Amino acid sequence: MTLHFLHRHVLEDHLAGFETRPNPNHVNVARRPVILSVLAHSGHEAAVAERLAELAGGSVRFCGPGEWLVAGPALLGEELADRLGEIPGASVCDQSDGKVLMAIGGPSARKILAKCVAADLHGDVFAEGQSANMLCCHVASNLARTGADLFEIIVPRSFAGSVFEELMEMGREYALTASFSED
Amino acid sequence: MASLITCPHCGTRPKEEFTIRGDAAPRRPGSADRDEAWYAYVYIRDNPKGRILEYWHHAGGCRRWLVVDRDNLTHEVFGVVDAADFQRTEAAE
Amino acid sequence: MTSYRLDAGGAINRAQALSFSFDGRNYKGLQGDTLASALLANDQMLMGRSFKYHRPRGPVTAGSSEPNALLTIGSGARSEPNARATTVELYQGLVAASQNRWPSLKHDIGAVNSLLSPFLGAGFYYKTFMWPAAFWEKLYEPLIRKAAGLGKLALEADPDRYEKAWAHCDLLVIGAGPAGLMAALVAGRAGLRVILADEGFRPGGSLLSESVSVAGLAAVDYAGGLVSELSSLPNVTLMPRTTVFGWYDDMVFGAVERVQKHVASPSPELPVERLWRIVAKRAILASGAEERPLVFGGNDKPGVMTATAARTYLNRYGVAVGGKVAVFTNGGSGYRTAADLAAKGVEVTAVIDARAQSADVAPAGIRVIRNAGVVATNGRHRIDGLLLERAGFEEVIGCDALAMSGGWSPIVHLMCQRGTKPVWSEESQAFLAPNVGNSFVAAGSAAGVETISECLRDGAAKAASLASELGFAAHGANLPDVEGEYDASFAPVWYVPGAKDKAFVDFQNDVAVSDLGAAQREGFRHIEHTKRYTTVGMATDQGKLGNVNTAGIVAAMRGVSPAEIGTTTFRPFYTPVSFGALAGAAQGEHGAPVRTSPLHGWAKKNGASFVEAGLWYRSAWFARDGEKNWRESVDREVLSVRANAGLCDVSTLGKIEIFGAGAAEFLDRIYCNGFLKLPVGKARYGLMLREDGIVFDDGTTSRLGEHHYVMTTTTAYATDVMTHMEFCAQTFWPELDVRFVSVSDQWAQMSLAGPKARIIMSRVVQDDLSDAAFPFLAARAVTLRGGLKARLFRISFSGELAYELAVPAGYGEAVADAIMEAGRDEGICAYGVEALNVLRIEKGFITHNELDGRTTADDVGLGRMMAMQKPDFIGKRLSTRFGLTAADRLQLVGLKPVEPEKQINAGAHLLKEAAKPSLANDQGFVSSACYSPALGSFIALAMLKSGRERVGERIVVWDALRGMEVPADVCAPVFVDAENAKLHV
Ligand SMILES: [Zn+2]
């Protein structure tokens, strides 16, 4: 007997009613990203950071000293985990189902996020490529700047519905739309 | 409305991201230490007004324990370091 | 016609008429009006009744310090009481109503209070209503509350949206008058990130209301030019309609932006108000100065207002506040007002100057009376004349408005909110901003600077200096020439002697000079005592107009300098802030984040009722057709688990993945039992203590690899345990090689329990699950049929053969469905936390009901777990101290009611038979209770004094809350399968 299990995104119901055509301000919810926690063991922090900086195929998010999230497309799943697993002094653990990745982009992205996070997101302070853990809509999250007007939020799955709803509420005045992105 | 703490790992953040554990001065005694030392460590705290070293946990950020050197009356912050670094420095001294 | 709209002039749009209503009557105003200016343009001077005496009142200012013209704006759920008509921006369809009057503003029965005023003076409440005490609550207070008061709150829920936001800048400029505009411009041009916030709807401050020309332009047009340049700078954010109300730690300023308070029907896409937390590296307070009222008899009558207010209505709104205006002044502002009025063709009947001499000159044809004082005003709903006294002679002067000027007080409120008091200046005869360091400085009239040209210069200079401190190269602006300025200096007049009517210091709280005198005589001399005794400065305006006069008057009464009297404490908020704004979006279902389990959908479609557990929503029971109450469902679920199998969502348990060569040692130190020898592939129950020896939390930890573990915690303590572990790892033992991360959200975890659990699980998992291959406490990775990787733990919280299966969260629902399908023929059911609770009570398994922060391991019968041979673990040392090992401690026992159907409730206390309920007789309490369908009886777990020795004893369960006394027998805390035969099959 073989069983086939359907994978379900936690925001499936939240996104069901949305207009599919994106407005200039839009949230892309990654449907099946690969997200991995990487923990550097004591004494290996710098070496692991160095290896992560050269990592192909995944974007590295800083969480705290010796701790990162690495996000990549589903296709790379196993490969990414293997590559990370080869880094000496690092422990890797799958969080792909434990985290939800939302990319918010558009001319008003920063204005919307000013209602969700306390950190200063001015380009001089929080530059492209930068990331950090912070409260987003009252929930401990990771925020990364991936473009001038593009940010990615990684939130715990159990809170994702709450954060998503609040993000959309804060985006109302800028006609924020949302949809799944398949990559 | 707000107070800010500058986390050495994450940057400047509002107090909502932190939880305070209190005085960072007491050291956990060794298992062979006297009862008085354990009693003092677990139960006795000074309640100073003014400059104090406190443990703050960056629960909404890097989840590191920090030692914040601040004035608890004016909230003037003199320095914030990672608690592990603080411990190592203390041990070295 | 007394007050009226002029034919020309003013920063108003005459082409855009706006209709509005006041107390049911319709009026027309103009775009650019405030509600007050529009009412005055319609000759409506009477706008309210005072708080205590119900005296008729009109606006005394044209700004946010207004104590009198407080109206209710809007209707129904949107009605907002106590809005200052002087700051409310007029909009089409605005509905306003007066307050604190009945039956109407003109005929107010409460005005009888005014006749009683000799009895209603300072300290009146304290003196009058002392006796009999019982009368206070029933009679006096309701009467007083009815008679005195402000507007009424709407009782309906607020229909509008609110938001909170953060802003960050190099320089925050508070106030967009001449100093603020120029400061923002200099800083903006230098490249600083600038926020310019102003409480008004039109930036410009005094440039909008003064008749000077700046750089050859009318002041208002010059202001417009500055604003448009500022708007063009991308690094400058203009925030009109935004009141900076508080200065907090670390240069964080609180501000409220009225996004949609100036529209009749707010758009649902926008908040009506937005609360800002502005983080500024530097800030400039350019809040201007307040003109002080003069304190003379009858100074509160409608028509009496500050000279600045009269000038503002005239120049900014094109409204003459009267047809015949008198001026009472102690400085240049009065003369300037007379000149401006005269220039617009308004009759000025007299300029009464309190000073014996001055260099100020009134326009030709206007009578100037020096060395004189007003002692009374005539008229009821509006003044129709005044009585002045000069050198012992009295004279009546006809007027329908009186512009008064008592000098200037810099608005330093924000700078004094963090404990620093303002500083009295003999030279300025005012309290000036204190030195609060280089980060926050005052500029312009807030800093005691008088003229517009000086304000422009001061703003530019302060901004340039702050900019260079921050490393920016600031070039001073080309300061414009200002023509037609006047000398605003004054000689202090704290109060005018010979008053023939009440001379008010605090208009909003109806505090008169006589009240201040009473407070001094009766010993309430400290300014903070005077304040509380008389209520001066305690109204919603916080004494913006009256506090400095109070200090001056009290000083004069005591023959000292106001410096010795000082000011009362300044606190946020500068002006009132709505609760809606403070709550922001955190209302209703947005009150707190919600956590949902990956099996939430599965539970829902199986008919779950949910219970809130912290932020989680957990499935409590799964009602089926025909079940009349929750107990029926729970009983069925319990019996089904004991007989067949049940599936329960345990995803909410905390899960922590632990790595490192030091992980075993770390676990050994944070658990009281041993973990060094836990084999790979095995789970172990662990108990954590606090450092004081009390139990902290429990759970299982499984060893998945040599240096790899996964820990579970209770749902409630998931965060606390993680935080505790971080504290231990980072501060106690940073040398240990251990790293961990929460994976609570990664796994959907479900418990399949019951005699048929293996059969069912084997249909889903392809690994060999025989007892030999996968024995009790086995824990390892498995593969589901079809290939999905999962983790399986053979652990039980029910005493039955049970497995906990963890699958990646996204598959949780599908896997749970598959298990239900696989178990359908075996009689599987979904069960919730209620049945889970019954199953564990029947087995005597503990939860935080028992581990309530007071119990030791031994108290709950787990003393044997403590591995005292370990050199150290958290809580080891203090767990052995005398108090925690005493023989009469409360110990975990079971209870069975003598009559099985008698209910026992958690929280009930235990007594010896026939003992009276008392603290001394208290024997313990019930920690958990339920109905056990297996036994057909209520059962309970309890903490009983020396409980383990007392098995077999009959005691009484005393439940005062429900008025129940139930005799029960003490038994061992296990009711089902005491030999654990069902576990090892
Ligand atoms: Zn941090």
Side-chain angles (χ1 to χ4, degrees), chain A residues 1-3 8 40-41 66 91 94-98 114-115 118 120 122 156-159 162 169 172-173, chain C residues 161 163 166 168 193 268-270 274 593-596 659 737 739 742 745-746 763 785-786 809-811 813:
Chain A
M1 191 172 86
T2 183
L3 297 168
R8 197 175 156 79
H41 286 269
S91 290
D94 189 12
Q95 298 272 23
S96 307
D97 279 60
K115 307 188 222 175
D120 187 358
H122 189 277
R157 185 187 204 269
S158 60
F159 283 112
S162 227
E169 180 76 6
R172 263 172 87 171
E173 68 172 301
Chain C
R161 294 177 59 222
E163 281 178 4
W166 287 86
H168 304 262
R193 291 165 70 190
E269 304 307 314
L270 287 168
R274 192 181 280 133
V594 165
R595 292 185 86 175
T596 49
F659 302 94
D737 176 21
R739 296 301 316 253
S742 168
D745 285 49
Q746 166 68 15
R763 292 175 184 159
R785 297 182 185 280
Y811 291 108
E813 201 174 329

Side-chain angles (χ1 to χ4, degrees), chain B:
Chain B
M1 203 56 45
S3 301
L4 305 175
I5 293 289
T6 299
C7 171
H9 312 301
C10 306
T12 303
R13 300 299 176 78
K15 66 173 186 298
E16 287 82 352
E17 290 196 357
F18 300 85
T19 49
I20 312 180
R21 188 184 163 110
D23 199 342
R27 291 281 82 82
R28 186 169 189 264
S31 54
D33 283 0
R34 291 156 53 86
D35 284 351
E36 286 75 10
W38 275 97
Y39 168 73
Y41 169 68
V42 173
Y43 290 109
I44 305 301
R45 291 292 181 276
D46 290 334
N47 186 20
K49 172 178 165 183
R51 196 158 169 175
I52 182 174
L53 295 172
E54 287 171 326
Y55 280 125
W56 287 56
H57 185 227
H58 196 184
C62 59
R63 295 201 64 87
R64 293 295 296 185
W65 281 92
L66 310 172
V67 173
V68 176
D69 177 3
R70 69 167 191 133
D71 186 311
N72 62 15
L73 184 69
T74 62
H75 190 62
E76 185 179 356
V77 176
F78 305 98
V80 186
V81 295
D82 188 278
D85 296 338
F86 176 80
Q87 232 67 9
R88 281 185 205 109
T89 320
E90 274 222 330
E93 274 166 9

